[in-house]
Amino acid sequence: MRTTGLASGGMLIGFNLFQACKPKVEPPVDLSQLNYNDFNAFIEIAEDGTVKIYSPNPEIGQGVKTSMPMIIAEELDVAWKDVYVAQAPLNTEHYTRQVAGGSQSIRHGWDALRQTGATAKQMLVNAAAAKWGVDASECTVSEGVITNAAGETLGYGDVVNEAAKLEVPEEVTLKKPSEYNIIGKDARNVDIDEIITGKPLFGLDYKVEGMVYAAVARPPAFGQTLKSFDDTKARQMPGVIDIFTIGEKARALLEKDERTGNILSGSDKVVVIAETTWQAMKAKEALETVWEDGENMESTADHDKILTDLLDGNEFQTMRADGNVKKAFAEADQVLERTYESPFLPHNCMEPMNFFAHVTDEKVHLVGPIQTPEWKAGLVSAMLERDPKEIHLEMTRMGGGFGRRLFGDFVLEAAEISDKIRKPVKVVYSREDDMNDGIYRMAIKYRIKAGVKDGQVTAYHLKEAAINSNMYGLIPNFFPAGAIENYQVDAANHKSPITTGAWRAPYTNFLAYAEQSFFDELAEMMEVDRVQLRLDLLKKVDAASDERIQYSPERMIKVIESAVEKSGWGKQPKGVYQGFVNYYCHNSHVAEVADVVIENGEPVVKKVTCVVDCGIVVNPLGAKNQAEGGVIDGIGHAMYGDFGFEKGKPVASNFDKYRLIRMKEAPVVEVHFIKNDLSPTGLGEPTLPPAGGAIANALKAATGNRLYKQPFTKTPELLKPRKQEIIG
């Protein structure tokens, strides 16, 4: 850095960027100049040996665009430095489960991707063997070079044309984990150069000749419908091309596909078409719209009472019932019952919702950030009454998803608008649109009750009351299922016009905090060690005899023991307060320990130790980033995330009223992975749910107060440290 005095007496601070750059940087390979041969849907190999691997699943920052090709490249036996990665479009013929959701991309793709790489490798070896006139078993491969027993070599590029014509072998040999050269090694994000140099990767970057922009005026409150609008002023503004309403096709789709019931509004919307995004948004602000209230215009106060009434009522669906909880509670020596509350939450992706559509007589071209491309392509096909083969959908990189981009209401808007104007158009949300027209995490209350007899937990009853839960998410077969003889899980639901859906780690994002905080308090009541209580319960689980049990007690015990060791549990100096949790979700086992200290009279989360068993870790660098991000995200929303409604209208529309965690508040996150040779499981979500419980339990240790509501800052009086700590 250097400073330069200005005549005005000010100071100019700048960076000499060129001096900081590396003096010699190899330019990237121009892939457009290479003559590729399509080897299969995933792999293209050029005659110079360069390999292009297509990543089939949507990339939302979880790293699959890097890790999925790594799996193929490992079995293909090529050098990672010679691999170039491209995003595949939606292709239901060649790919399965092109979805980013549930932390399942690697888990579901693991075997198929390995098979793809190994099959291509075998065909290349077979082609080389035929060229030499030797048996393929005599050949070996290393980094894309095939060698025969005589020491002769051929590169993949030398035989790719012949290999592509061979029959696909029915059986191939997959590598053992001990033979991996790429899997298990750090690999940087394949898009990182484009990201840091501002190359077009994201939906907002996509442009074509003649494209126009659309801003959409939607009902400002859930439950409202459009009554009338006056666009006189808006039409006079610069760049405005047209103003009209949409909604008819969406309403028709609501009748055809029940899955759209909670993501589409039955109201008309007013669309402004303009030459630029800014012009479209400013003209939308100039519209004079009149919205009509519906019968059900709910507020946060209504939801609070509705959820409490549900918990107190009898309208439950029982998800699992073992033994007889009523009898066990009647016979218990001690009973503990607590209620936990969480608010609605928006997703707040860094990149607001957007999508491109161009509808012509020949095809429907869709491009943008979407987590469920096949579902959206199918809905567009149904909405526009077009042959599914005419829908061509391309995925861009996403600036965050967290579940919001599973639903794709913005995709349907773009398609309906383009169908009406027959021009290429991009729908772009403002930040206010993004927060006010969201698909929110549902508000939930949990009531947990446990009974203790003769020093043992003999009964456990979990009740859920949720807004628009649809009963699909409460997890009845996770821990402590199978560990307690009398165990029951019930769920009740209130149907609301407020659109709700998946939010990073659905249901478990709050349930983990509730249950793990409850177990800590249960251990206090029983006067037993909180970690040992969990271990003792896990040792009672016989997962082999109960196929409903989804977690592994043995793997959970291992992450607990590792977290105790790595965190120095119970061995920290005075003034460091620790909170412990363990949790299973998205097929992975996690344990976390939070360290809280008192600074300036306030509790501060300084460190979180996170231990994860997610099987084989494909890309440790990316995996660590995912685990750290999940922990920080979980802490931020547990501490600060608060959102509600007043007569159906969101109470916050931007970050001036909605609180996110700040950089200075993010703790050090120390991540450890359990090493094993088991197939990979989820990682994008599993470290988020335990974080809230870890800090809640640490805050209890620091302040003496239990927290039953999120966000924790909503009850600031409970975050005050003990008097002796303030004095000390």
Side-chain angles (χ1 to χ4, degrees), residues 428-540:
V428 181
Y429 282 43
S430 65
R431 176 57 60 191
E432 288 76 12
D433 293 334
D434 202 60
M435 287 185 71
N436 290 350
D437 302 298
I439 310 288
Y440 307 94
R441 184 185 84 169
M442 60 205 71
I444 295 181
K445 287 190 180 184
Y446 288 116
R447 183 169 292 166
I448 308 176
K449 184 178 181 181
V452 178
K453 176 72 173 176
D454 297 330
Q456 300 293 316
V457 182
T458 55
Y460 189 90
H461 193 185
L462 170 65
K463 290 182 178 181
E464 174 194 86
I467 305 295
N468 293 335
S469 74
N470 300 317
M471 306 296 185
Y472 69 80
L474 191 108
I475 314 299
N477 299 312
F478 289 4
F479 180 77
I484 301 169
E485 184 178 357
N486 303 289
Y487 173 85
Q488 186 166 322
V489 177
D490 294 329
N493 174 53
H494 168 72
K495 189 175 181 180
S496 169
I498 295 170
T499 51
T500 60
W503 188 96
R504 191 175 186 180
Y507 287 85
T508 61
N509 57 56
F510 177 64
L511 177 57
Y513 145 71
E515 285 194 313
Q516 289 296 305
S517 184
F518 181 82
F519 271 109
D520 248 37
E521 190 167 358
L522 181 61
E524 287 179 1
M525 184 186 79
M526 296 172 66
E527 297 182 339
V528 298
D529 181 87
R530 61 204 69 208
V531 175
Q532 194 60 48
L533 173 63
R534 293 164 167 89
L535 291 172
D536 290 344
L537 288 170
L538 284 164
K539 290 172 184 175
K540 294 180 179 180

Side-chain angles (χ1 to χ4, degrees), residues 368-620:
I370 183 67
Q371 293 179 240
T372 50
E374 184 177 356
W375 180 22
K376 295 299 102 54
L379 290 179
V380 169
S381 170
M383 182 179 73
L384 300 184
E385 298 182 339
R386 299 287 293 260
D387 188 323
K389 294 180 180 178
E390 296 176 359
I391 312 296
H392 177 73
L393 191 151
E394 299 175 40
M395 292 168 277
T396 62
R397 190 178 182 93
M398 289 172 246
F402 314 116
R404 175 63 180 94
R405 287 187 160 101
L406 286 171
F407 302 99
D409 41 315
F410 44 89
V411 180
L412 300 174
E413 287 179 348
E416 187 172 1
I417 292 167
S418 183
D419 185 55
K420 195 158 188 172
I421 65 176
R422 288 300 172 114
K423 289 182 180 180
V425 63
K426 183 187 289 186
V427 170
V428 181
Y429 282 43
S430 65
R431 176 57 60 191
E432 288 76 12
D433 293 334
D434 202 60
M435 287 185 71
N436 290 350
D437 302 298
I439 310 288
Y440 307 94
R441 184 185 84 169
M442 60 205 71
I444 295 181
K445 287 190 180 184
Y446 288 116
R447 183 169 292 166
I448 308 176
K449 184 178 181 181
V452 178
K453 176 72 173 176
D454 297 330
Q456 300 293 316
V457 182
T458 55
Y460 189 90
H461 193 185
L462 170 65
K463 290 182 178 181
E464 174 194 86
I467 305 295
N468 293 335
S469 74
N470 300 317
M471 306 296 185
Y472 69 80
L474 191 108
I475 314 299
N477 299 312
F478 289 4
F479 180 77
I484 301 169
E485 184 178 357
N486 303 289
Y487 173 85
Q488 186 166 322
V489 177
D490 294 329
N493 174 53
H494 168 72
K495 189 175 181 180
S496 169
I498 295 170
T499 51
T500 60
W503 188 96
R504 191 175 186 180
Y507 287 85
T508 61
N509 57 56
F510 177 64
L511 177 57
Y513 145 71
E515 285 194 313
Q516 289 296 305
S517 184
F518 181 82
F519 271 109
D520 248 37
E521 190 167 358
L522 181 61
E524 287 179 1
M525 184 186 79
M526 296 172 66
E527 297 182 339
V528 298
D529 181 87
R530 61 204 69 208
V531 175
Q532 194 60 48
L533 173 63
R534 293 164 167 89
L535 291 172
D536 290 344
L537 288 170
L538 284 164
K539 290 172 184 175
K540 294 180 179 180
V541 180
D542 184 4
S545 63
D546 187 347
E547 61 182 16
R548 297 172 298 172
I549 300 296
Q550 296 181 29
Y551 63 97
S552 163
E554 295 79 16
R555 294 175 77 173
M556 184 66 84
I557 288 171
K558 195 164 185 177
V559 297
I560 289 174
E561 292 174 342
S562 179
V564 167
E565 176 195 350
K566 300 293 186 183
S567 68
W569 173 256
K571 299 177 182 178
Q572 294 298 313
K574 184 179 179 181
V576 177
Y577 303 93
Q578 293 188 301
F580 177 89
V581 296
N582 63 277
Y583 205 70
Y584 167 90
C585 66
H586 300 87
N587 311 102
S588 292
H589 302 76
V590 179
E592 294 178 10
V593 176
D595 292 356
V596 166
V597 300
I598 305 299
E599 291 183 352
N600 301 318
E602 299 289 340
V604 176
V605 184
K606 297 295 286 187
K607 179 183 176 182
V608 174
T609 303
C610 176
V611 178
V612 184
D613 181 352
C614 58
I616 292 172
V617 178
V618 176
N619 180 8

